[in-house]
Amino acid sequence: MSVLVYLIPAALLLGGASLAAFMWAMKSGQYEDLDGAGERILFDDAGPLAPKHGETAR
Amino acid sequence: MSCCAPGADINAASGAPSPDELLHAARSLGDGVAQIELSVPAIHCGACIQKLEQALSRLDGVISARVNLSTRRISIRFRQSAPPPIVETLTGLGYPPHLFDEAEGKDRTLAELLRSVAVSGFASGNIMLLSVSVWSGADGATRDLFHWISALIAFPTLLYAGRTFYRSAWQALRAGRMNMDVPIVIGVALAYAMSIYDTLHHGQHAYFDAGVTLLFFLLIGRTFDHLMRDRARSAVLGLARLAPRGAIVLAPDGSRDYRPVNEIETGDRLLIAAGERIPVDARVIGGASDLDCSLVSGESRPQPVGPASTVRAGTLNLTGPLTLEASARATDSFLAEMVRMMEAAEGGRTRYRRIADRVSAFYAPVVHLTALVAFIVWLVMGGDWHQALTIAIAVLIITCPCALGLAVPIVQVVAARRLIERGVMVRDGSAMERLTEIDAVAFDKTGTLTMGQPRLVNAPDIAPDMLLIAAALGGQSRHPLSQAIARHAAAGDAGSDAPPVSFDAVTEVPGFGIEGWRDGSLWRLGRPGWALGQETVDQETVGQATFGQATFGQATFDNDKDAAGAAWFASGSGAMLARDGRECARFAFEDTVRPGAAAAIQALQRTGKSVEILSGDTEAACRDIAGRLDVQQYAAGLLPSGKVARINAMTQAGRKMLMVGDGLNDAPALSAAYASMAPATAADVGRNIADLVFLRDSLEAVPFVIDVSEQAGKLIRQNIALALVYNIIAVPIAFLGLVTPLIAAVAMSGSSILVIANALRLLRSGERSPTAKPDRVPVVGHYPGRYSEGGAT
């Protein structure tokens, strides 16, 4: 029983962290160009990251 | 070789936006900085990204440029004070840009739906974790604790992820209507309230997991549905853009004065330079030129005009300056009429009600009534309001249409994936439903049944060495006929080891041909008269030579970019290769039939669909192509309104028509037809209005799409049947009060998984027939930028 006291918060925290990570990724435009991201790792001079959310239309 | 060879797609330069248009379309970001989004279909690979971004950032005034490979778009920021030559740079690199035809901002609804899916997925996972513990025997204080934690997670989730449903239910109720979201909202809200009450009283059952999981499944269905939904798109804007903003008006006293198009009155004299569009319907009073009338007839072969010819608004003046007398105001002109026609057709299109909407309209009241009846029956029989309410909620929850909400969109998403693998882009999910009802198909001729590209036909009669010389010379010109010769030679002699033919001092003479020196002789490829030295390059001769009716076999080709070359083939005698004024070879051309056209038409006729050709071209050209493709019905010389009239007549006779067309003149017909398809090479306007766009050359896409749509239609009906069968089984169980949260959870997930598995069968049925290159393709949805795969390689 006492094990629940920290296991449940731990489960919720981990789940919440991954949710937050997904939200952040979406907000920072990482899903905007799925094909391009794969190609860009091959460039020597990495350009700036994708424009921030709200600043550019798709 | 890189796939990014510049100039690979010589036909793509049409419709490039002018600098004015560009500035107009750019959004100001403040501080004198503007941002423009351009669609660049020629972007293929990583090298394109690098090349374009580097080239653009080197321009003065450009602050940043970012290529999006998935959507094939570039987003450029620049200083408004010094607009950089963006279009010229991109076109020069072989990547002609287009402005978006749809004013489509970021898809906020989709982003919101995705976030809601993520949140409800997180919540349902965690609540389910706790619920499983409860089901497997946790009791007493532990069960209460788990219920309370579930309640804490569920509350914000229901508020956040449920927004879509509350909004839609509220809108429906306010409008006095009923939709599927009303029972969902009532069910979820009641379930939550009831579970809180039970938790307070240390009850055994709480429906927190059911409510949240329900939202999760429904949101998945809603997201798919949103991806497949028809965007509010309008081709009217694209068409309206063809209208010039104004023209130079010649006053009676000889002064010249630029006036906006709606201030031009009947009788005004207008000066139209080469390369400009005609602003209003008018009569030519001076000058001679060739007009690109593709807007009127779909034929991009230039038409010669001279004094007394009438010209229509929106046509493009190609070769020489014209003086016109306006014969109608802008609002009464041909182009305005086209726009009105499109608007009327687009308004009529919304009549189609999707299967999912029809089912839910019938389903929602049934759910409510069943729940209400359950409540009343149990209240009367048992007299316990708490038990009665619990059972009513169980009925609401269990009948809530998880499976139904997924049944249609999941099939459409899977079908869209199959189609995109074969190079067909679905722009509107409901088109697949409509396609299953099609019983007649109308094709445009030029550019749809044919490639709209000239092909050398008399190659066997030409000496091989002459062909090589002509090809080497022609390869340096961008004229369609020269290119056709070069293409032919390249295809025929891929393995030949003949030394490459080289020329000195190659010059292209606009309107006549191309010439070059080799071994001390002057070689000319072009108009026969000019090649033989009988005609000299003289502005007056250009006018006279081009005047007169052009009959050029069946050859028609896309030439509106190559304005200067128009006069050459308008003379109708093909091309000649001459050495020092002596004839060496003659070349004849015809338009190629699109690959798969005959097979496609046969397949359509076999399935009992009537096929006809609606063309703006001449009767003879249509008869020829109809004969070759074995089509009985054709109508030639149709204006855009004629095509629409024909489609409307068929519709009134109870036929459901699929229109396949590419030209500007097909746009109204495309929007009037029950369903529409366009090749990727189509004019922007047509591509935007069509329900489906096929990216590869072959016309076999048409029967394939109908086939997949019919399979999808079958699966949709099966899925709806499955969802209903599930309800027929589940509702009595819920009605009898036997449903626990565990049963509800199993039933809900089970039916959804069943429906998804059934939809995935569509993918398997595709494996039996060989699928061609399933390379990088978007999984689902609406990618307006992706249409170039068939065009440029």
Side-chain angles (χ1 to χ4, degrees), chain B residues 183-490:
Chain B
I184 292 170
V185 169
I186 295 179
V188 168
L190 278 180
Y192 188 79
M194 196 70 195
S195 304
I196 291 275
Y197 175 87
D198 277 335
T199 308
L200 275 172
H201 292 83
H202 312 290
Q204 193 190 349
H205 297 310
Y207 283 96
F208 297 118
D209 60 300
V212 176
T213 319
L214 181 74
L215 280 191
F216 180 48
F217 282 128
L218 287 172
L219 279 168
I220 295 177
R222 205 54 66 95
T223 309
F224 280 147
D225 189 53
H226 180 77
L227 282 174
M228 297 307 299
R229 198 175 270 272
D230 186 15
R231 304 295 157 100
R233 61 192 148 91
S234 166
V236 171
L237 271 180
L239 197 60
R241 195 176 293 133
L242 294 178
R245 300 219 161 78
I248 295 176
V249 176
L250 199 62
D253 59 6
S255 66
R256 295 173 179 200
D257 171 29
Y258 185 84
R259 255 194 252 164
V261 67
N262 42 15
E263 287 177 23
I264 295 174
E265 297 290 335
T266 313
D268 280 352
R269 292 184 163 212
L270 312 172
L271 287 179
I272 307 293
E276 285 184 354
R277 284 200 184 267
I278 312 259
V280 294
D281 290 355
R283 206 166 47 83
V284 178
I285 49 179
S289 178
D290 295 278
L291 287 189
D292 173 358
C293 295
S294 57
L295 184 69
V296 181
S297 63
E299 296 308 312
S300 39
R301 175 182 39 189
Q303 268 182 19
V305 291
S309 315
T310 53
V311 295
R312 283 192 159 99
T315 52
L316 182 65
N317 180 17
L318 291 175
T319 41
L322 287 175
T323 311
L324 305 179
E325 188 183 77
S327 61
R329 295 163 49 93
T331 47
D332 307 322
S333 285
F334 177 75
L335 195 58
E337 209 175 289
M338 284 268 289
V339 169
R340 274 197 293 273
M341 217 146 62
M342 300 271 285
E343 275 168 349
E346 283 176 13
R349 176 181 258 203
T350 50
R351 279 174 308 204
Y352 181 78
R353 279 182 75 215
R354 305 182 314 149
I355 291 179
D357 295 342
R358 279 178 285 171
V359 171
S360 62
F362 138 85
Y363 193 72
V366 173
V367 173
H368 280 283
L369 279 179
T370 320
L372 191 65
V373 169
F375 180 71
I376 292 171
V377 167
W378 279 89
L379 197 62
V380 171
M381 306 251 299
D384 178 0
W385 71 267
H386 176 256
Q387 190 193 20
L389 195 57
T390 310
I391 287 170
I393 291 169
V395 170
L396 265 185
I397 292 257
I398 213 135
T399 50
C400 265
C402 292
L404 207 59
L406 276 169
V408 179
I410 186 76
V411 174
Q412 289 186 345
V413 164
V414 173
R417 191 196 151 92
R418 263 204 75 192
L419 288 177
I420 200 86
E421 275 173 4
R422 295 282 290 266
V424 180
M425 199 174 74
V426 180
R427 307 191 43 123
D428 177 1
S430 80
M432 279 191 271
E433 294 174 17
R434 281 181 272 132
L435 272 169
T436 57
E437 302 171 36
I438 289 301
D439 57 7
V441 185
F443 288 95
D444 171 45
K445 188 181 75 67
T446 314
T448 306
L449 284 176
T450 67
M451 295 295 285
Q453 203 178 45
R455 187 175 61 96
L456 186 61
V457 285
N458 64 340
D461 308 337
I462 300 166
D465 52 333
M466 288 303 140
L467 191 59
L468 268 184
I469 288 170
L473 201 54
Q476 310 203 25
S477 158
R478 290 180 62 158
H479 190 279
L481 293 189
S482 310
Q483 289 287 336
I485 297 174
R487 235 186 351 257
H488 182 92

Side-chain angles (χ1 to χ4, degrees), chain B residues 601-686:
Chain B
I601 284 169
Q602 269 172 21
L604 290 173
Q605 285 169 337
R606 234 191 346 262
T607 49
K609 296 174 177 61
S610 71
V611 176
E612 62 185 290
I613 298 175
L614 302 179
S615 176
D617 203 359
T618 56
E619 214 271 337
C622 287
R623 184 169 355 103
D624 174 72
I625 203 97
R628 275 199 276 171
L629 294 173
D630 199 22
V631 177
Q632 273 79 40
Q633 270 186 302
Y634 63 89
L638 291 180
L639 288 179
S641 54
K643 296 194 182 192
V644 173
R646 171 77 191 142
I647 285 174
N648 286 343
M650 291 286 275
T651 310
Q652 258 148 38
R655 309 292 297 269
K656 304 260 162 79
M657 277 213 124
L658 167 67
M659 173 79 200
V660 187
D662 77 316
L664 278 170
N665 64 326
D666 297 317
L670 287 172
S671 49
Y674 196 63
S676 52
M677 275 181 85
T681 48
D684 281 357
V685 178

